[in-house]
Amino acid sequence: SADSSRIIVAYHHVKIFKSDLQAVCDSLSYSDADSTFRFHNHPLLWVDGNQLSADSISLQMKNNHPFLMKMNHCSLIVDEVRRGYYNQVQGKNMIGYFLNDELHELIVDGNGESIYYAGDDSSGYFGMNKAACSNMHIIISNKKIDHIDFLTKPDATLYPIKQLPPEEMK
């Protein structure tokens, strides 16, 4: 009937392969009513070279394009900057916004922590910034973390790349 919507449910070892998004999870549901994919039971998503994980993730579509992503509980995003070096952001919950099919903005809500490799114009890295902060605002451009604003009570340490303690890299 005109007032009904389609619901798709997939479960047990779900895998999604798309040119700009890959995912694995235990179960997945999609509702045509709100155009939202819901990934359940510790999903892993790869979007624009970033690995995303949380207890559950929802991805809202708009005009068949990703629009809004919500990562609930134990949220983590990881981006490899070079072999063995990873930008990492974790927090209780995250909300991501897409622009032109790419993850553009990320808001960390609660228990935020980040490891970010600071670079210079010659594509070299001079240090690693490790920070803890309740809430963060992250801008992503060209599929890489571009800028992080630490909003609530930040506590950070910048380690020179040559004096980087291995235990601080995770």
Side-chain angles (χ1 to χ4, degrees):
S1 67
D3 63 344
S4 67
S5 63
R6 292 184 310 165
I7 296 174
I8 298 170
V9 178
Y11 49 92
H12 302 309
H13 312 295
V14 176
K15 295 178 183 178
I16 296 174
F17 298 98
K18 193 173 176 277
S19 62
D20 55 350
L21 179 133
Q22 293 81 42
V24 294
C25 60
D26 177 67
S27 56
L28 164 79
S29 62
Y30 173 79
S31 173
D32 202 31
D34 61 2
S35 300
T36 301
F37 287 94
R38 291 174 177 84
F39 303 87
H40 304 282
N41 296 332
H42 307 287
L44 281 174
L45 277 70
W46 293 271
V47 178
D48 299 331
N50 298 303
Q51 179 177 302
L52 304 113
S53 63
D55 286 354
S56 66
I57 299 174
S58 63
L59 179 61
Q60 186 176 2
M61 307 294 284
K62 187 176 190 179
N63 298 324
N64 292 323
H65 296 280
F67 173 67
L68 174 71
M69 176 179 58
K70 294 181 180 178
M71 301 170 61
N72 301 307
H73 306 291
C74 301
S75 303
L76 174 68
I77 182 170
V78 178
D79 167 36
E80 184 175 39
V81 292
R82 73 180 205 204
R83 187 179 175 139
Y85 295 87
Y86 301 91
N87 286 336
Q88 304 163 58
V89 178
Q90 73 175 8
K92 184 176 179 182
N93 300 308
M94 293 187 199
I95 298 173
Y97 298 93
F98 287 81
L99 181 65
N100 299 324
D101 290 338
E102 292 183 1
L103 187 59
H104 171 70
E105 185 177 359
L106 199 61
I107 296 170
V108 178
D109 183 21
N111 302 334
E113 294 183 57
S114 74
I115 293 176
Y116 182 78
Y117 289 88
D120 54 28
D121 292 337
S122 65
S123 298
Y125 295 97
F126 61 83
M128 182 200 75
N129 188 40
K130 187 168 186 176
C133 181
S134 294
N135 300 320
M136 298 179 194
H137 181 234
I138 300 163
I139 299 295
I140 299 168
S141 65
N142 297 322
K143 302 179 182 182
K144 299 285 181 189
I145 295 174
D146 182 62
H147 182 79
I148 302 175
D149 288 320
F150 302 101
L151 303 175
T152 310
K153 296 182 181 179
D155 180 24
T157 303
L158 179 64
Y159 296 95
I161 203 78
K162 292 181 180 182
Q163 298 172 2
L164 185 58
E167 65 274 6
E168 296 296 330
M169 295 174 63
K170 296 183 183 177

PDB file of all heavy atoms in Angstrom, residues 135-160:
ATOM      1  N   ASN A 135      34.830  16.598  24.435  1.00  0.00           N
ATOM      2  CA  ASN A 135      34.164  16.776  23.141  1.00  0.00           C
ATOM      3  C   ASN A 135      35.150  17.342  22.125  1.00  0.00           C
ATOM      4  O   ASN A 135      35.973  18.189  22.460  1.00  0.00           O
ATOM      5  CB  ASN A 135      32.967  17.711  23.279  1.00  0.00           C
ATOM      6  CG  ASN A 135      31.946  17.176  24.256  1.00  0.00           C
ATOM      7  OD1 ASN A 135      31.668  15.987  24.296  1.00  0.00           O
ATOM      8  ND2 ASN A 135      31.409  18.057  25.064  1.00  0.00           N
ATOM      9  N   MET A 136      35.025  16.872  20.886  1.00  0.00           N
ATOM     10  CA  MET A 136      35.912  17.310  19.810  1.00  0.00           C
ATOM     11  C   MET A 136      35.099  17.589  18.550  1.00  0.00           C
ATOM     12  O   MET A 136      34.048  17.002  18.340  1.00  0.00           O
ATOM     13  CB  MET A 136      36.943  16.231  19.479  1.00  0.00           C
ATOM     14  CG  MET A 136      37.865  15.866  20.579  1.00  0.00           C
ATOM     15  SD  MET A 136      38.982  14.565  20.001  1.00  0.00           S
ATOM     16  CE  MET A 136      39.654  14.017  21.542  1.00  0.00           C
ATOM     17  N   HIS A 137      35.665  18.443  17.707  1.00  0.00           N
ATOM     18  CA  HIS A 137      35.103  18.737  16.399  1.00  0.00           C
ATOM     19  C   HIS A 137      36.217  18.505  15.388  1.00  0.00           C
ATOM     20  O   HIS A 137      37.283  19.116  15.491  1.00  0.00           O
ATOM     21  CB  HIS A 137      34.592  20.175  16.348  1.00  0.00           C
ATOM     22  CG  HIS A 137      33.989  20.546  15.051  1.00  0.00           C
ATOM     23  ND1 HIS A 137      34.407  21.632  14.339  1.00  0.00           N
ATOM     24  CD2 HIS A 137      32.997  19.972  14.327  1.00  0.00           C
ATOM     25  CE1 HIS A 137      33.693  21.730  13.234  1.00  0.00           C
ATOM     26  NE2 HIS A 137      32.849  20.728  13.203  1.00  0.00           N
ATOM     27  N   ILE A 138      35.982  17.627  14.409  1.00  0.00           N
ATOM     28  CA  ILE A 138      37.028  17.215  13.476  1.00  0.00           C
ATOM     29  C   ILE A 138      36.590  17.535  12.058  1.00  0.00           C
ATOM     30  O   ILE A 138      35.463  17.224  11.660  1.00  0.00           O
ATOM     31  CB  ILE A 138      37.309  15.702  13.615  1.00  0.00           C
ATOM     32  CG1 ILE A 138      37.761  15.404  15.043  1.00  0.00           C
ATOM     33  CG2 ILE A 138      38.320  15.229  12.597  1.00  0.00           C
ATOM     34  CD1 ILE A 138      37.681  13.965  15.430  1.00  0.00           C
ATOM     35  N   ILE A 139      37.489  18.153  11.293  1.00  0.00           N
ATOM     36  CA  ILE A 139      37.249  18.435   9.883  1.00  0.00           C
ATOM     37  C   ILE A 139      38.129  17.489   9.071  1.00  0.00           C
ATOM     38  O   ILE A 139      39.331  17.352   9.335  1.00  0.00           O
ATOM     39  CB  ILE A 139      37.584  19.906   9.527  1.00  0.00           C
ATOM     40  CG1 ILE A 139      36.711  20.854  10.334  1.00  0.00           C
ATOM     41  CG2 ILE A 139      37.444  20.156   8.036  1.00  0.00           C
ATOM     42  CD1 ILE A 139      35.231  20.771  10.035  1.00  0.00           C
ATOM     43  N   ILE A 140      37.529  16.864   8.068  1.00  0.00           N
ATOM     44  CA  ILE A 140      38.232  15.939   7.198  1.00  0.00           C
ATOM     45  C   ILE A 140      38.200  16.525   5.788  1.00  0.00           C
ATOM     46  O   ILE A 140      37.135  16.899   5.295  1.00  0.00           O
ATOM     47  CB  ILE A 140      37.569  14.545   7.226  1.00  0.00           C
ATOM     48  CG1 ILE A 140      37.608  13.986   8.650  1.00  0.00           C
ATOM     49  CG2 ILE A 140      38.244  13.603   6.244  1.00  0.00           C
ATOM     50  CD1 ILE A 140      36.752  12.762   8.866  1.00  0.00           C
ATOM     51  N   SER A 141      39.368  16.610   5.159  1.00  0.00           N
ATOM     52  CA  SER A 141      39.409  17.060   3.770  1.00  0.00           C
ATOM     53  C   SER A 141      40.376  16.170   2.997  1.00  0.00           C
ATOM     54  O   SER A 141      41.365  15.688   3.550  1.00  0.00           O
ATOM     55  CB  SER A 141      39.800  18.534   3.662  1.00  0.00           C
ATOM     56  OG  SER A 141      41.104  18.741   4.119  1.00  0.00           O
ATOM     57  N   ASN A 142      40.069  15.956   1.753  1.00  0.00           N
ATOM     58  CA  ASN A 142      40.867  15.064   0.909  1.00  0.00           C
ATOM     59  C   ASN A 142      41.050  13.693   1.559  1.00  0.00           C
ATOM     60  O   ASN A 142      42.118  13.116   1.521  1.00  0.00           O
ATOM     61  CB  ASN A 142      42.219  15.688   0.566  1.00  0.00           C
ATOM     62  CG  ASN A 142      42.068  16.949  -0.235  1.00  0.00           C
ATOM     63  OD1 ASN A 142      41.198  17.045  -1.108  1.00  0.00           O
ATOM     64  ND2 ASN A 142      42.884  17.939   0.060  1.00  0.00           N
ATOM     65  N   LYS A 143      39.991  13.239   2.224  1.00  0.00           N
ATOM     66  CA  LYS A 143      39.929  11.914   2.839  1.00  0.00           C
ATOM     67  C   LYS A 143      40.899  11.706   3.996  1.00  0.00           C
ATOM     68  O   LYS A 143      41.180  10.588   4.393  1.00  0.00           O
ATOM     69  CB  LYS A 143      40.124  10.832   1.780  1.00  0.00           C
ATOM     70  CG  LYS A 143      39.109  10.896   0.667  1.00  0.00           C
ATOM     71  CD  LYS A 143      39.326   9.846  -0.367  1.00  0.00           C
ATOM     72  CE  LYS A 143      38.298   9.995  -1.471  1.00  0.00           C
ATOM     73  NZ  LYS A 143      38.416   8.990  -2.490  1.00  0.00           N
ATOM     74  N   LYS A 144      41.414  12.798   4.565  1.00  0.00           N
ATOM     75  CA  LYS A 144      42.328  12.719   5.705  1.00  0.00           C
ATOM     76  C   LYS A 144      41.889  13.714   6.777  1.00  0.00           C
ATOM     77  O   LYS A 144      41.302  14.745   6.475  1.00  0.00           O
ATOM     78  CB  LYS A 144      43.761  13.067   5.281  1.00  0.00           C
ATOM     79  CG  LYS A 144      44.352  12.151   4.235  1.00  0.00           C
ATOM     80  CD  LYS A 144      44.730  10.844   4.829  1.00  0.00           C
ATOM     81  CE  LYS A 144      45.362   9.928   3.773  1.00  0.00           C
ATOM     82  NZ  LYS A 144      45.554   8.585   4.255  1.00  0.00           N
ATOM     83  N   ILE A 145      42.187  13.405   8.038  1.00  0.00           N
ATOM     84  CA  ILE A 145      41.895  14.343   9.119  1.00  0.00           C
ATOM     85  C   ILE A 145      42.718  15.606   8.890  1.00  0.00           C
ATOM     86  O   ILE A 145      43.936  15.545   8.749  1.00  0.00           O
ATOM     87  CB  ILE A 145      42.208  13.721  10.492  1.00  0.00           C
ATOM     88  CG1 ILE A 145      41.269  12.540  10.760  1.00  0.00           C
ATOM     89  CG2 ILE A 145      42.088  14.765  11.594  1.00  0.00           C
ATOM     90  CD1 ILE A 145      41.588  11.763  12.015  1.00  0.00           C
ATOM     91  N   ASP A 146      42.039  16.732   8.802  1.00  0.00           N
ATOM     92  CA  ASP A 146      42.685  18.001   8.500  1.00  0.00           C
ATOM     93  C   ASP A 146      42.861  18.867   9.743  1.00  0.00           C
ATOM     94  O   ASP A 146      43.873  19.524   9.915  1.00  0.00           O
ATOM     95  CB  ASP A 146      41.859  18.754   7.452  1.00  0.00           C
ATOM     96  CG  ASP A 146      42.488  20.066   7.052  1.00  0.00           C
ATOM     97  OD1 ASP A 146      43.607  20.029   6.514  1.00  0.00           O
ATOM     98  OD2 ASP A 146      41.863  21.125   7.295  1.00  0.00           O
ATOM     99  N   HIS A 147      41.864  18.848  10.626  1.00  0.00           N
ATOM    100  CA  HIS A 147      41.866  19.768  11.756  1.00  0.00           C
ATOM    101  C   HIS A 147      41.021  19.190  12.889  1.00  0.00           C
ATOM    102  O   HIS A 147      39.965  18.636  12.640  1.00  0.00           O
ATOM    103  CB  HIS A 147      41.283  21.106  11.301  1.00  0.00           C
ATOM    104  CG  HIS A 147      41.285  22.150  12.355  1.00  0.00           C
ATOM    105  ND1 HIS A 147      42.418  22.863  12.684  1.00  0.00           N
ATOM    106  CD2 HIS A 147      40.307  22.606  13.171  1.00  0.00           C
ATOM    107  CE1 HIS A 147      42.114  23.716  13.641  1.00  0.00           C
ATOM    108  NE2 HIS A 147      40.849  23.579  13.961  1.00  0.00           N
ATOM    109  N   ILE A 148      41.511  19.325  14.123  1.00  0.00           N
ATOM    110  CA  ILE A 148      40.756  18.878  15.297  1.00  0.00           C
ATOM    111  C   ILE A 148      40.637  20.050  16.263  1.00  0.00           C
ATOM    112  O   ILE A 148      41.647  20.656  16.629  1.00  0.00           O
ATOM    113  CB  ILE A 148      41.435  17.694  16.018  1.00  0.00           C
ATOM    114  CG1 ILE A 148      41.616  16.503  15.080  1.00  0.00           C
ATOM    115  CG2 ILE A 148      40.621  17.274  17.237  1.00  0.00           C
ATOM    116  CD1 ILE A 148      42.377  15.340  15.692  1.00  0.00           C
ATOM    117  N   ASP A 149      39.413  20.368  16.666  1.00  0.00           N
ATOM    118  CA  ASP A 149      39.173  21.348  17.726  1.00  0.00           C
ATOM    119  C   ASP A 149      38.843  20.586  18.997  1.00  0.00           C
ATOM    120  O   ASP A 149      37.933  19.750  19.008  1.00  0.00           O
ATOM    121  CB  ASP A 149      37.989  22.265  17.374  1.00  0.00           C
ATOM    122  CG  ASP A 149      38.325  23.237  16.266  1.00  0.00           C
ATOM    123  OD1 ASP A 149      39.445  23.770  16.263  1.00  0.00           O
ATOM    124  OD2 ASP A 149      37.454  23.466  15.405  1.00  0.00           O
ATOM    125  N   PHE A 150      39.591  20.849  20.065  1.00  0.00           N
ATOM    126  CA  PHE A 150      39.360  20.234  21.361  1.00  0.00           C
ATOM    127  C   PHE A 150      38.478  21.191  22.151  1.00  0.00           C
ATOM    128  O   PHE A 150      38.922  22.273  22.515  1.00  0.00           O
ATOM    129  CB  PHE A 150      40.691  19.972  22.059  1.00  0.00           C
ATOM    130  CG  PHE A 150      41.607  19.096  21.254  1.00  0.00           C
ATOM    131  CD1 PHE A 150      42.652  19.647  20.523  1.00  0.00           C
ATOM    132  CD2 PHE A 150      41.415  17.732  21.201  1.00  0.00           C
ATOM    133  CE1 PHE A 150      43.496  18.850  19.765  1.00  0.00           C
ATOM    134  CE2 PHE A 150      42.241  16.919  20.450  1.00  0.00           C
ATOM    135  CZ  PHE A 150      43.297  17.478  19.727  1.00  0.00           C
ATOM    136  N   LEU A 151      37.236  20.798  22.430  1.00  0.00           N
ATOM    137  CA  LEU A 151      36.239  21.730  22.925  1.00  0.00           C
ATOM    138  C   LEU A 151      36.117  21.820  24.436  1.00  0.00           C
ATOM    139  O   LEU A 151      35.816  22.871  24.965  1.00  0.00           O
ATOM    140  CB  LEU A 151      34.875  21.395  22.314  1.00  0.00           C
ATOM    141  CG  LEU A 151      34.832  21.388  20.789  1.00  0.00           C
ATOM    142  CD1 LEU A 151      33.479  20.925  20.300  1.00  0.00           C
ATOM    143  CD2 LEU A 151      35.159  22.760  20.231  1.00  0.00           C
ATOM    144  N   THR A 152      36.265  20.729  25.157  1.00  0.00           N
ATOM    145  CA  THR A 152      36.001  20.745  26.590  1.00  0.00           C
ATOM    146  C   THR A 152      37.183  20.185  27.362  1.00  0.00           C
ATOM    147  O   THR A 152      37.488  19.007  27.257  1.00  0.00           O
ATOM    148  CB  THR A 152      34.736  19.915  26.905  1.00  0.00           C
ATOM    149  OG1 THR A 152      33.691  20.323  26.038  1.00  0.00           O
ATOM    150  CG2 THR A 152      34.309  20.106  28.340  1.00  0.00           C
ATOM    151  N   LYS A 153      37.863  21.036  28.137  1.00  0.00           N
ATOM    152  CA  LYS A 153      38.958  20.651  29.028  1.00  0.00           C
ATOM    153  C   LYS A 153      40.007  19.757  28.360  1.00  0.00           C
ATOM    154  O   LYS A 153      40.231  18.614  28.791  1.00  0.00           O
ATOM    155  CB  LYS A 153      38.399  19.960  30.264  1.00  0.00           C
ATOM    156  CG  LYS A 153      37.529  20.843  31.117  1.00  0.00           C
ATOM    157  CD  LYS A 153      37.040  20.115  32.351  1.00  0.00           C
ATOM    158  CE  LYS A 153      36.143  21.029  33.181  1.00  0.00           C
ATOM    159  NZ  LYS A 153      35.624  20.359  34.362  1.00  0.00           N
ATOM    160  N   PRO A 154      40.664  20.258  27.305  1.00  0.00           N
ATOM    161  CA  PRO A 154      41.680  19.425  26.659  1.00  0.00           C
ATOM    162  C   PRO A 154      42.945  19.275  27.497  1.00  0.00           C
ATOM    163  O   PRO A 154      43.330  20.180  28.233  1.00  0.00           O
ATOM    164  CB  PRO A 154      41.993  20.195  25.372  1.00  0.00           C
ATOM    165  CG  PRO A 154      41.641  21.598  25.671  1.00  0.00           C
ATOM    166  CD  PRO A 154      40.510  21.552  26.659  1.00  0.00           C
ATOM    167  N   ASP A 155      43.554  18.123  27.388  1.00  0.00           N
ATOM    168  CA  ASP A 155      44.837  17.833  28.007  1.00  0.00           C
ATOM    169  C   ASP A 155      45.655  17.119  26.938  1.00  0.00           C
ATOM    170  O   ASP A 155      45.290  16.021  26.507  1.00  0.00           O
ATOM    171  CB  ASP A 155      44.653  16.949  29.242  1.00  0.00           C
ATOM    172  CG  ASP A 155      45.965  16.625  29.934  1.00  0.00           C
ATOM    173  OD1 ASP A 155      46.935  17.401  29.769  1.00  0.00           O
ATOM    174  OD2 ASP A 155      46.014  15.603  30.631  1.00  0.00           O
ATOM    175  N   ALA A 156      46.739  17.751  26.467  1.00  0.00           N
ATOM    176  CA  ALA A 156      47.474  17.205  25.327  1.00  0.00           C
ATOM    177  C   ALA A 156      48.975  17.236  25.569  1.00  0.00           C
ATOM    178  O   ALA A 156      49.490  18.069  26.309  1.00  0.00           O
ATOM    179  CB  ALA A 156      47.136  17.991  24.075  1.00  0.00           C
ATOM    180  N   THR A 157      49.658  16.317  24.884  1.00  0.00           N
ATOM    181  CA  THR A 157      51.108  16.264  24.891  1.00  0.00           C
ATOM    182  C   THR A 157      51.584  16.074  23.460  1.00  0.00           C
ATOM    183  O   THR A 157      51.087  15.194  22.753  1.00  0.00           O
ATOM    184  CB  THR A 157      51.619  15.086  25.754  1.00  0.00           C
ATOM    185  OG1 THR A 157      51.097  15.213  27.076  1.00  0.00           O
ATOM    186  CG2 THR A 157      53.139  15.061  25.801  1.00  0.00           C
ATOM    187  N   LEU A 158      52.537  16.899  23.028  1.00  0.00           N
ATOM    188  CA  LEU A 158      53.143  16.768  21.712  1.00  0.00           C
ATOM    189  C   LEU A 158      54.507  16.107  21.876  1.00  0.00           C
ATOM    190  O   LEU A 158      55.384  16.631  22.559  1.00  0.00           O
ATOM    191  CB  LEU A 158      53.287  18.130  21.042  1.00  0.00           C
ATOM    192  CG  LEU A 158      53.933  18.121  19.657  1.00  0.00           C
ATOM    193  CD1 LEU A 158      53.058  17.363  18.659  1.00  0.00           C
ATOM    194  CD2 LEU A 158      54.183  19.537  19.175  1.00  0.00           C
ATOM    195  N   TYR A 159      54.665  14.936  21.253  1.00  0.00           N
ATOM    196  CA  TYR A 159      55.921  14.199  21.310  1.00  0.00           C
ATOM    197  C   TYR A 159      56.691  14.430  20.012  1.00  0.00           C
ATOM    198  O   TYR A 159      56.130  14.229  18.927  1.00  0.00           O
ATOM    199  CB  TYR A 159      55.668  12.694  21.450  1.00  0.00           C
ATOM    200  CG  TYR A 159      54.988  12.292  22.730  1.00  0.00           C
ATOM    201  CD1 TYR A 159      53.616  12.127  22.791  1.00  0.00           C
ATOM    202  CD2 TYR A 159      55.739  12.047  23.877  1.00  0.00           C
ATOM    203  CE1 TYR A 159      52.982  11.749  23.967  1.00  0.00           C
ATOM    204  CE2 TYR A 159      55.116  11.659  25.060  1.00  0.00           C
ATOM    205  CZ  TYR A 159      53.741  11.517  25.095  1.00  0.00           C
ATOM    206  OH  TYR A 159      53.125  11.141  26.261  1.00  0.00           O
ATOM    207  N   PRO A 160      57.966  14.835  20.079  1.00  0.00           N
ATOM    208  CA  PRO A 160      58.773  14.916  18.854  1.00  0.00           C
ATOM    209  C   PRO A 160      58.870  13.530  18.227  1.00  0.00           C
ATOM    210  O   PRO A 160      58.980  12.521  18.941  1.00  0.00           O
ATOM    211  CB  PRO A 160      60.138  15.399  19.344  1.00  0.00           C
ATOM    212  CG  PRO A 160      59.853  16.047  20.663  1.00  0.00           C
ATOM    213  CD  PRO A 160      58.693  15.290  21.250  1.00  0.00           C
TER     214      PRO A 160
END
